[in-house]
Amino acid sequence: MEDCLFCKIVKKEIPTQIIYEDERTLVFKDIDPQAPIHYLIVPKQHFADVTNVPAGNDIVSHIFTVAVKMAIREGVSDEGFRVVNNCGELGGQSVEHLHFHFLAGRQMLWPPG
Ligand code: 5GP
Ligand code: ZN
């Protein structure tokens, strides 16, 4: 996926503030933060969106495990946080590489708009 922005970030071809990394995921700061803490949790493998994850692949489960790890690390597991996946045009997805937003540090609102 030569033209994919997040594949380039995963390959460290674009400088990014990396927060955490394991064999399957990279976590980095969102360039346009919507909360005091706003990270993107990205699988290293390219999936255009969550509908492209094959049945039986546990990457989404792993991403939530990483999200909880980030919450504990940031000290927000008790006060709360939000994990968001935007999927497709109406879902508000702007980068076509599966990613989950990890947001914390302020009161979240509902409905999200
Ligand atoms: P989406 O709108 O697809 O759910 O989320 C994409 C996110 O990627 C947005 O929150 C946007 O601010 C972030 N983003 C876009 N380009 C870059 C970039 O080059 N670096 C970083 N760190 N974040 C980016
Ligand atoms: Zn990609």
Side-chain angles (χ1 to χ4, degrees):
M1 290 297 155
E2 287 174 13
D3 292 334
C4 172
L5 173 65
F6 287 175
C7 280
K8 287 179 181 164
I9 288 176
V10 164
K11 286 188 270 178
K12 318 250 170 79
E13 292 173 1
I14 296 174
T16 314
Q17 284 188 271
I18 295 172
I19 300 297
Y20 172 84
E21 181 173 13
D22 64 21
E23 326 77 62
R24 303 175 73 190
T25 61
L26 189 72
V27 182
F28 52 91
K29 286 191 180 180
D30 195 293
I31 203 167
D32 181 22
Q34 302 300 313
I37 299 168
H38 187 174
Y39 300 155
L40 297 173
I41 308 175
V42 172
K44 289 184 172 178
Q45 183 178 357
H46 180 93
F47 302 99
D49 63 40
V50 76
T51 71
N52 292 98
V53 178
N57 185 310
D58 70 344
I59 189 63
V60 173
S61 166
H62 180 69
I63 284 170
F64 270 85
T65 300
V66 172
V68 171
K69 194 174 283 210
M70 294 305 101
I72 293 167
R73 183 189 274 199
E74 295 295 339
V76 298
S77 55
D78 287 341
E79 67 187 35
F81 56 92
R82 181 173 285 178
V83 179
V84 176
N85 171 247
N86 298 324
C87 183
E89 191 177 344
L90 288 189
Q93 182 177 5
S94 62
V95 177
E96 286 191 10
H97 178 128
L98 178 65
H99 54 280
F100 285 71
H101 300 256
F102 177 89
L103 300 142
R106 68 166 169 83
Q107 178 63 59
M108 300 299 158
L109 305 175
W110 197 265

